[in-house]
Amino acid sequence: CGFEKVAGEKYGNISIVDVKECKNEDTKAYYVTKELLMKHPETDTLLIDAGGIYGCIRAVRDCEEKSVN
């Protein structure tokens, strides 16, 4: 992927833990993002380059609420 190549060259300390596809569907994006965040709780950045952003944001908020409680 072009992003991975450029990010690696420009920011050598960046670590891409996973790349997922959600087919621009909010529901799928929600579950994919939630699974990723549960598997990699150290994640501090998400790159979303298409539709499904609402699902991603919902997953981030849900995971934040669970980590606070």
Side-chain angles (χ1 to χ4, degrees):
C1 164
F3 172 78
E4 291 177 83
K5 181 180 179 202
V6 172
E9 290 171 356
K10 189 167 183 173
Y11 309 101
N13 62 346
I14 195 168
S15 175
I16 299 171
V17 297
D18 214 336
V19 176
K20 297 289 187 181
E21 174 67 45
C22 70
K23 307 283 187 198
N24 298 329
E25 298 173 15
D26 284 321
T27 302
K28 185 169 184 176
Y30 172 81
Y31 288 108
V32 165
T33 304
K34 193 166 183 180
E35 178 184 351
L36 179 133
L37 293 173
M38 291 173 71
K39 187 176 179 182
H40 302 282
E42 73 282 1
T43 299
D44 61 6
T45 304
L46 295 171
L47 170 66
I48 306 159
D49 69 347
I53 191 166
Y54 176 72
C56 293
I57 291 169
R58 279 185 39 232
V60 169
R61 286 184 176 167
D62 285 356
C63 288
E64 284 179 344
E65 288 174 6
K66 288 181 180 165
S67 70
V68 171
N69 294 331

